[in-house]
Amino acid sequence: MADNPVPIMFWEPVDFIAGMSVFGMGVALHMFAFGAIGGAVTLMIATKLRQGAKRGAAQHWLWYMGVNIDRALARMKLRSWDNEFIE
């Protein structure tokens, strides 16, 4: 589709950023090998989790965990733990 995010080196942007965050933390803590291995493992796990998942599943899971990645959702004033049906 035209509105799909552009993949970065075969990975979705959310997965790539997660892997590079682990790698960057390893570099910042002077543990380059740990960061490289951790980043690679993060990318492999993210790829496996994405197989069979619907588009946007990672973003929905992050929202459910309480991470606000989309400023447009902040207007809703909903907390992820208040998921109740309105009758």
Side-chain angles (χ1 to χ4, degrees):
M1 294 182 96
D3 59 346
N4 285 348
V6 177
I8 302 170
M9 295 173 45
F10 310 111
W11 293 288
E12 295 288 324
V14 172
D15 302 340
F16 186 78
I17 289 170
M20 289 302 103
S21 296
V22 173
F23 175 72
M25 187 61 75
V27 171
L29 296 174
H30 301 290
M31 296 190 287
F32 181 80
F34 173 76
I37 292 169
V41 168
T42 302
L43 288 172
M44 287 190 296
I45 290 173
T47 302
K48 292 290 183 189
L49 288 176
R50 193 169 293 278
Q51 290 176 353
K54 295 195 183 284
R55 200 172 136 227
Q59 288 87 347
H60 282 90
W61 182 77
L62 288 172
W63 176 79
Y64 177 75
M65 296 304 291
V67 178
N68 185 14
I69 59 172
D70 189 4
R71 292 191 186 271
L73 291 176
R75 296 182 312 190
M76 296 177 68
K77 304 287 187 221
L78 293 175
R79 295 184 305 266
S80 62
W81 52 87
D82 285 342
N83 293 331
E84 296 179 4
F85 291 107
I86 299 173
E87 294 183 26

